[in-house]
Amino acid sequence: MTDIKELELGAPRLTRPAICFPCSYNLSPEEICTKISLCDALIVRSGTKVSREVFESSGGRLKVVGRAGVGIDNVDLAAATEHGCLVVNAPTANTVPAAEYGIALLAAMARNVAQADASVKAGQ
């Protein structure tokens, strides 16, 4: 059995966190431009527009924009290319969950789940 002291002596010490994941929601374009200079990567959904101003505000620090979902129409690809920023997406990420949800809805309709729920809540 290894002694705890041995593990502590051999473990590397970090002077600062290796990775920081700040999460922000519903930011205005101005707020995104203010915060982006602190980021190496940005993960967005369809509601967030990554414009030329965002890339310019990053000061060259932004290296990758990840789009969670299908399409990259909310990212200015020309600006990303000019600033050397990689843009990626996950086009099939929601395929299986969407199919599962569709099948679950069909099963719920076939078994009258909504009506059963309503009757239980009504005390019948």
Side-chain angles (χ1 to χ4, degrees):
M1 180 178 209
T2 306
D3 187 43
I4 298 291
K5 294 266 186 211
E6 290 177 27
L7 290 175
E8 289 177 359
L9 293 174
R13 306 221 183 242
L14 297 176
T15 56
R16 64 181 175 86
I19 299 174
C20 178
F21 293 102
C23 292
S24 301
Y25 301 95
N26 302 318
L27 295 178
S28 70
E30 294 78 23
E31 290 172 316
I32 294 172
C33 288
T34 301
K35 292 184 174 212
I36 200 66
S37 64
L38 304 173
C39 300
D40 296 311
L42 178 64
I43 300 172
V44 297
R45 297 196 53 151
S46 59
T48 304
K49 305 299 180 208
V50 186
S51 63
R52 176 172 296 280
E53 290 77 25
V54 171
F55 291 105
E56 290 171 353
S57 298
S58 76
R61 181 168 179 177
L62 189 61
K63 301 296 181 221
V64 63
V65 173
R67 164 69 168 90
V70 179
I72 49 175
D73 56 333
N74 58 324
V75 180
D76 187 335
L77 295 179
T81 302
E82 289 173 23
H83 289 87
C85 185
L86 181 66
V87 178
V88 296
N89 69 340
T92 60
N94 292 335
T95 304
V96 172
E100 290 171 344
Y101 183 66
I103 297 297
L105 286 175
L106 288 171
M109 287 178 56
R111 301 292 298 165
N112 297 317
V113 171
Q115 293 87 342
D117 177 62
S119 69
V120 168
K121 288 180 179 176
Q124 299 175 350

